[in-house]
Amino acid sequence: MELDIFLQQLLNGLTIGVGYALVAGGLAAIFGIMRIVNFAHGEFFMIGGYALYYAMAVLGLPYFAAGPLAVLAVVAVGYLVQRLTIEPLMEADPLNTLLVTFALSLFIFHSVVVVAGSSGRNIDTPFEDVITLGNVILTEQKLFVMLGGLLILGALAVFLAYTPIGKQMRATAENRYAATILGIDVRRVDRFTFGLGIGLAAVAGVLIAPITPLVPAVGASYTLKAFAVIVLGGMGSIPGAIIAGTGLGLVEALTAGYLSSAWKDGVAFVVLITVLLTRPTGLLGKGGAH
Amino acid sequence: MLEIDELAINYDQVEAVRKVSIAVGAGEMVALIGANGAGKTTVLHSVMGLLKPKAGTIRLKGENIVGAPSKRILDLGVALVPEGRQLFGHLSVLENLEVGYARKFGIRFDRAGFEGRVAKIDAYFPRIRERLKQTSGTLSGGEQQMVAIARALMSDPDILLLDEPSLGLSPIMMDTVLDLLVQLHGEGMAILLVEQNARAALRISERAYVLDSGVTTLNGRARALLRDPRVQQAYLGL
Ligand SMILES: Nc1ncnc2c1ncn2[C@@H]1O[C@H](COP(=O)(O)OP(=O)(O)OP(=O)(O)O)[C@@H](O)[C@H]1O
Ligand SMILES: [Mg+2]
C-alpha cells in the first residue's frame, strides 16, 4: 500500500517533471546562449496548449496532426517575435529585452483571455484509457507525456552534443566573442536558439494541456516554475534544467502525496533554497558565468 | 595582402586609434608593438569587422572590408588568435577545432575535410592528438595558446593575426609559440604579430610598426628598429 502511493506519486511526478524539464530546458537555452531573460516563456507553453485546442476543436484535426501543427505555429510566432522585438535590442542594455519579454507575457496572456476567455478548456486525445498496475493508476496520456517528453529531451541532448549547430550553440553560450571572431553567425545561432527554446515550451504545452485544466494563467505559473528550475539547475545549463525540472516534478508530487498538495510549492522552494545554499551556482552551474 | 590606411576608431568619446597605417604583404611577418592601451587590440578588432572605423580604409587582397561581417572577412582568409586565448573552456579540444572549422550554420559536417585539415596542421602541434578529448579549460596556459592557434588555423587563413600570444607564458613555452610562428611563416603564411614583448617580436619579424597612443609613429625593418634608440628606450628597457 505504502509502495503503491509512492509509485503513484513517482509516476505523477515524472509526468509533470518532464513537462517542467521541456519548458525549463528551452528557457535555459535562451538564457545561456542569448543572455535573454524570457519572462514570456511560459506563455508559449500556454499558447501551445491553445493552438492544440483550436486545431482539434475548430479545424477538426486529430491529436497527432494538431500537435505538430500547434508546435509549428507557436515556433513561427516565436521566430517573428524574436526577429521583430528581440534581435534589434541584442546589443542594447539588457534591461530593454527584459522589458520586452515582460510586455510580451502580458500581451500574450491578455490576447488569449480576449480570444478564448479565461475558463478552462478540455482536450481529448486518443489516450483516454486508464492503465492499472495493482493500485497504481496511470492514464495513457500521462504515459505518452513521459515517453514522448523523454524521447524529445534525449534527442535534444544528442543534438547539442553531436551536431555542428549544437556545438555552435554551446560555443556561443560559453564565449560569444570567440564565436564571432571564428566567423560563426551568432545572429543565426540566436534565431535558431529562440525558435528551439519556444518550440520546447510549445511541445510541453501540447503534451501537458490534455492532462491539466487549460487556462490562460497556466503560462505565468510555468514561467515561474521554469525560472526556479533554471536557477536550481545552474543558470543557462540545459542538462541542469532537465535534471532540476524532473526533480521539481518529483518533489512536488511526493509532497502532494505524503503531506498535502497545499504544501507542494512551499516544499519545492525549500529544496531550491537548500540547493542554492550548498551549491550557489546550482546543480550543474559553471560558477562565474560570463 | 592587408593594407590599413589612416585608420581612426572611437569608443563613444574615447579616441582609441587616431592614425594607424599598416601594410602586411603576402607571406610577410610583421610585428606591431606598443604599450598597454596603445590601441593594438582595437586595430585587430577592426580588421576582424568587430568595430566600425570612424575614418580610414582596411583593404584585404584589394577588397575594402570596412563594414563587412566577420564571416566574410574569415572567408577572405584572415584569422585572429585573440588576446587571452578565449577557448571554449567547457568544450573539448576536438570540439574547439570543429567549431573553428565548420563556421557555416548548418547540420552537415564535412568530416573528411576536417580530418584533412587536422592532418595538415598537426605537424605543428606534435602532442595535440593526445589531447583531443580533453576539456580545453583544463589544459595548461601554453597548451591553451597552442590550441587557440590551431583553432584559428582551422579556417585555412592566408594571414594570421595574433594578439599577444606570449602573454602569461613561461620563457620556454613562449619560445615554443614563437618557433611555431616562425615555422608557419616559413611555409608562406602572412603574420601580423601584436606583442608587448617587443624584443621577441622584433627578433622573429621582418618588419615592424610602433603604435603609440593610437598612432603608428615608427616603422621599418625589424632589425633596424631593434637598434633604434627611441625603440630601445621605450620598449626594450635599454
Ligand atoms: N570597449 C571599450 N570601450 C571603451 N574604451 C575602450 C574599449 N576597448 C578599449 N578601449 C580603450 O581604447 C584604448 C586602446 O585599447 P586597446 O585594448 O586597443 O589597447 P592595447 O594596445 O591592446 O592594450 P593592451 O596591451 O593592454 O592589450 C584604451 O585606452 C582602452 O581603454
Ligand atoms: Mg590588447
Side-chain angles (χ1 to χ4, degrees):
Chain A
M1 189 59 212
E2 272 300 300
L3 186 66
D4 288 345
I5 297 180
F6 179 74
L7 284 177
Q8 181 69 61
Q9 295 309 329
L10 198 69
L11 288 174
N12 290 346
L14 264 180
T15 310
I16 202 75
V18 163
Y20 290 159
L22 286 166
V23 177
L27 186 66
I30 291 171
F31 179 76
I33 292 157
M34 304 171 69
R35 300 276 131 189
I36 296 289
V37 176
N38 183 17
F39 279 125
H41 201 68
E43 311 303 336
F44 291 99
F45 167 90
M46 184 266 287
I47 58 172
Y50 275 94
L52 172 70
Y53 172 79
Y54 282 111
M56 292 175 74
V58 177
L59 302 181
L61 294 173
Y63 182 63
F64 276 107
L69 185 69
V71 172
L72 280 180
V74 174
V75 168
V77 170
Y79 182 81
L80 276 180
V81 160
Q82 198 281 137
R83 290 295 297 271
L84 296 177
T85 69
I86 294 176
E87 188 167 297
L89 295 171
M90 283 299 281
E91 308 288 313
D93 188 318
L95 195 58
N96 289 285
T97 50
L98 207 77
L99 287 171
V100 162
T101 64
F102 187 62
L104 274 170
S105 75
L106 296 176
F107 179 78
I108 295 172
F109 171 76
H110 288 286
S111 303
V112 173
V113 170
V114 168
V115 173
S118 33
S119 60
R121 303 282 172 174
N122 279 317
I123 297 168
D124 290 333
T125 71
F127 304 118
E128 294 301 322
D129 283 349
V130 172
I131 305 162
T132 50
L133 306 150
N135 290 318
V136 178
I137 48 172
L138 182 67
T139 61
E140 284 180 343
Q141 180 67 20
K142 283 191 181 175
L143 188 65
F144 178 64
V145 170
M146 261 186 270
L147 298 181
L150 288 173
L151 197 71
I152 288 169
L153 290 171
L156 174 69
V158 169
F159 180 83
L160 289 171
Y162 298 112
T163 66
I165 296 179
K167 287 170 191 171
Q168 287 193 357
M169 287 170 70
R170 286 187 290 136
T172 306
E174 185 158 342
N175 192 330
R176 203 177 175 82
Y177 161 75
T180 308
I181 59 167
L182 289 172
I184 290 173
D185 191 343
V186 292
R187 274 199 320 180
R188 289 185 73 173
V189 172
D190 286 345
R191 291 171 193 165
F192 182 84
T193 299
F194 201 81
L196 178 73
I198 294 307
L200 289 170
V203 165
V206 163
L207 288 172
I208 303 274
I211 55 170
T212 194
L214 181 61
V215 291
V218 79
S221 118
Y222 264 81
T223 301
L224 198 69
K225 291 275 164 65
F227 272 106
V229 166
I230 70 166
V231 170
L232 191 60
M235 294 300 278
S237 163
I238 298 170
I242 291 170
I243 293 166
T246 314
L248 179 66
L250 287 172
V251 168
E252 282 188 6
L254 292 173
T255 309
Y258 285 101
L259 290 171
S260 118
S261 58
W263 277 94
K264 68 178 192 184
D265 287 348
V267 171
F269 279 94
V270 168
V271 170
L272 174 67
I273 290 165
T274 311
V275 170
L276 291 183
L277 285 175
T278 49
R279 273 195 63 92
T281 55
L283 294 173
L284 300 187
K286 294 171 174 169
H290 344 261
Chain B
M1 169 81 33
L2 173 67
E3 290 135 38
I4 301 170
D5 202 28
E6 308 251 312
L7 188 70
I9 299 162
N10 283 13
Y11 295 105
D12 296 323
Q13 311 302 340
V14 188
E15 282 190 315
V17 165
R18 289 184 291 155
K19 198 171 181 200
V20 165
S21 299
I22 295 170
V24 182
E28 200 182 17
M29 167 119 79
V30 174
L32 175 63
I33 61 176
N36 286 115
K40 305 179 296 292
T41 300
T42 303
V43 170
L44 297 186
H45 280 172
S46 66
V47 174
M48 294 312 294
L50 302 179
L51 297 168
K52 258 259 164 62
K54 191 181 71 167
T57 57
I58 305 172
R59 295 185 157 281
L60 199 65
K61 300 177 178 169
E63 179 175 332
N64 185 359
I65 55 163
V66 170
S70 301
K71 62 178 180 8
R72 167 80 189 136
I73 292 165
L74 270 105
D75 287 342
L76 280 169
V78 188
L80 169 66
V81 180
E83 192 170 350
R85 329 194 208 307
Q86 310 285 346
L87 293 183
F88 305 115
H90 292 99
L91 271 58
S92 68
V93 171
L94 179 67
E95 287 173 329
N96 270 274
L97 298 181
E98 287 172 344
V99 168
Y101 180 75
R103 52 189 196 282
K104 282 218 177 59
F105 186 84
I107 52 166
R108 274 196 54 253
F109 186 78
D110 175 8
R111 184 58 60 183
F114 173 75
E115 295 295 346
R117 192 73 206 129
V118 172
K120 268 245 171 63
I121 65 160
D122 78 351
Y124 305 125
F125 306 95
R127 294 221 303 285
I128 207 166
R129 285 218 178 253
E130 306 156 22
R131 302 301 187 118
L132 288 178
K133 292 272 180 271
Q134 190 171 339
T135 305
S136 66
T138 63
L139 296 169
S140 76
E143 290 163 347
Q144 289 193 19
Q145 187 58 263
M146 295 305 241
V147 173
I149 296 173
R151 184 180 68 176
L153 292 177
M154 294 312 290
S155 67
D156 197 9
D158 300 318
I159 176 167
L160 190 61
L161 317 176
L162 297 109
D163 198 349
E164 307 204 24
S166 76
L167 198 71
L169 300 186
S170 69
I172 293 177
M173 202 59 223
M174 193 177 98
D175 285 344
T176 311
V177 169
L178 295 179
D179 285 348
L180 169 63
L181 300 185
V182 170
Q183 207 183 338
L184 286 170
H185 172 233
E187 317 237 321
M189 175 92 62
I191 292 177
L192 178 58
L193 172 62
V194 162
E195 262 301 335
Q196 289 220 32
N197 188 332
R199 188 185 312 276
L202 291 174
R203 279 212 182 117
I204 61 169
S205 301
E206 292 156 285
R207 287 192 308 111
Y209 293 81
V210 174
L211 183 60
D212 185 4
S213 309
V215 180
T216 36
T217 49
L218 293 172
N219 70 80
R221 301 209 59 79
R223 233 161 264 146
L225 287 177
L226 265 176
R227 287 192 304 267
D228 187 309
R230 293 166 293 182
V231 173
Q232 289 186 334
Q233 196 189 9
Y235 302 101
L236 301 174
L238 293 177

